[in-house]
Amino acid sequence: MKGLSYHRAQSVEDALDKLENLEGAHILAGGTDLLLELDRAGRGANLLDISFIDALRDICETAYEVVIGAACTFHQIERSEAVRAHARALAQAASSVGGPAIRNLATIGGNVANGAPAADSMPALIVLGAWARLRSAAGEREVPVDALVYAGRVHLGQGEIITHFVVPKREGARSAFVKLGLRRSMAVSRLSGAIALSETGVRFALGAVGPSACRFRSVEDVLSQGVTCQDTIRRALSGLARDIRQRLGERPTAPYKQRAAQGLLLDLLSDVLDREVVVQ
């Protein structure tokens, strides 16, 4: 691409310094989305590559949380024992991203920061109650992932980068992720969803039904009354269809996504309950 200028950061501090001094810099962390966008736009850019920063490429487990570096690839995430044990929905989401070549390059930080409505990691991170750890020259802060990306925008401050995602451990929690695409692999999601069951209740989120992945709290409230009760499940399915109709309005995809989301919710419940859930 004409005018392309590539810069590799050696540390988080180096990245923040370069970000402050490079005009119109684009953060590169994998680049499976960014480089395509820049190529289609036909313009050059200052690319600041953070994918080689060792501090952003580790997955660490503590007594209370799993901390995932923003430059971790989806291949790392899907194979991580800590993620599989305590954030199963995220491991499943990671394994659904593209093919092996894409998963070896694409990063979770890039997937979230791209802000795409169909970002595979977002529903899983949301139901797991994950936080994003952000750094700038002014310091560090943490925000819930669903507060970082909402209403079709990524709400990063000036000169701020995502460094880690923090997933809290919840004793006895179960989670799952499901994705629907036009083909069985290498598909951009037409609809994706995740669910998490814990002692504190049910969290349920969908992607690709609006500008950003989001929770469906009315469905959560119903399911929290008993995920094994037929009447409860029927009311949750009915409410989900109603909520999607309100979100999508008269869009041509609305009827399909209403039905598809209901089937997806049943699949998620079947997964976390380890038995087929059907509505009589």
Side-chain angles (χ1 to χ4, degrees), residues 15-82:
L16 295 175
D17 181 65
K18 284 182 167 64
L19 188 59
E20 190 174 3
N21 291 287
L22 290 173
E23 184 177 354
H26 295 270
I27 299 293
L28 178 66
T32 55
D33 290 323
L34 176 63
L35 292 180
L36 289 174
E37 292 175 6
L38 293 176
D39 186 51
R40 283 194 293 264
R43 66 178 188 273
N46 277 314
L47 295 181
L48 177 57
D49 191 347
I50 66 170
S51 59
F52 292 90
I53 299 176
D54 289 339
L56 305 186
R57 300 176 66 187
D58 286 337
I59 299 174
C60 303
E61 181 181 0
T62 73
Y64 304 103
E65 59 197 20
V66 178
V67 182
I68 303 167
C72 285
T73 66
F74 285 113
H75 176 70
Q76 284 178 268
I77 293 168
E78 70 174 323
R79 293 174 62 86
S80 166
E81 291 186 8

Side-chain angles (χ1 to χ4, degrees), residues 130-141:
W131 291 67
R133 189 171 291 165
L134 313 176
R135 277 281 301 275
S136 70
E140 183 176 274
R141 67 186 179 109

Side-chain angles (χ1 to χ4, degrees), residues 9 11 39 52 78 82-83 92 112 119 138 142 179 190 201 211 226 231 250 252 273:
S11 65
D39 186 51
F52 292 90
E78 70 174 323
V83 174
Q92 291 176 319
V112 171
E142 289 187 353
K179 171 180 174 178
R190 294 194 71 187
D231 182 61
E250 299 301 318
L273 296 175

Side-chain angles (χ1 to χ4, degrees), residues 11-243:
S11 65
V12 174
E13 291 74 19
D14 184 38
L16 295 175
D17 181 65
K18 284 182 167 64
L19 188 59
E20 190 174 3
N21 291 287
L22 290 173
E23 184 177 354
H26 295 270
I27 299 293
L28 178 66
T32 55
D33 290 323
L34 176 63
L35 292 180
L36 289 174
E37 292 175 6
L38 293 176
D39 186 51
R40 283 194 293 264
R43 66 178 188 273
N46 277 314
L47 295 181
L48 177 57
D49 191 347
I50 66 170
S51 59
F52 292 90
I53 299 176
D54 289 339
L56 305 186
R57 300 176 66 187
D58 286 337
I59 299 174
C60 303
E61 181 181 0
T62 73
Y64 304 103
E65 59 197 20
V66 178
V67 182
I68 303 167
C72 285
T73 66
F74 285 113
H75 176 70
Q76 284 178 268
I77 293 168
E78 70 174 323
R79 293 174 62 86
S80 166
E81 291 186 8
V83 174
R84 289 181 179 183
H86 303 288
R88 181 169 173 266
L90 185 58
Q92 291 176 319
S95 68
S96 78
V97 175
I102 294 295
R103 291 196 293 275
N104 277 322
L105 185 63
T107 65
I108 188 170
N111 191 243
V112 171
N114 188 42
D120 290 309
S121 62
M122 281 296 295
L125 288 169
I126 288 172
V127 301
L128 292 167
W131 291 67
R133 189 171 291 165
L134 313 176
R135 277 281 301 275
S136 70
E140 183 176 274
R141 67 186 179 109
E142 289 187 353
V143 298
V145 168
D146 53 0
L148 176 65
V149 184
Y150 68 92
R153 291 186 56 204
V154 181
H155 297 265
L156 283 169
Q158 182 69 31
E160 198 167 44
I161 64 172
I162 304 170
T163 62
H164 297 85
F165 295 94
V166 181
V167 180
K169 291 182 178 180
R170 291 185 169 88
E171 189 67 30
R174 293 165 288 167
S175 68
F177 170 90
V178 173
K179 171 180 174 178
L180 303 179
L182 291 176
R183 52 183 185 264
R184 298 188 67 175
S185 64
M186 298 288 288
V188 174
S189 175
R190 294 194 71 187
L191 186 68
S192 62
I195 195 168
L197 310 183
S198 68
E199 293 180 353
T200 59
V202 179
R203 293 171 67 102
F204 170 68
L206 291 178
V209 290
S212 303
C214 62
R215 292 171 66 181
F216 283 71
R217 295 178 186 272
S218 61
V219 175
E220 294 175 350
D221 291 342
V222 173
L223 288 176
S224 292
Q225 299 171 25
V227 293
T228 61
C229 173
Q230 284 277 305
D231 182 61
T232 297
I233 294 172
R234 276 194 292 267
R235 288 191 291 117
L237 294 173
S238 176
L240 177 58
R242 182 179 61 251
D243 289 349

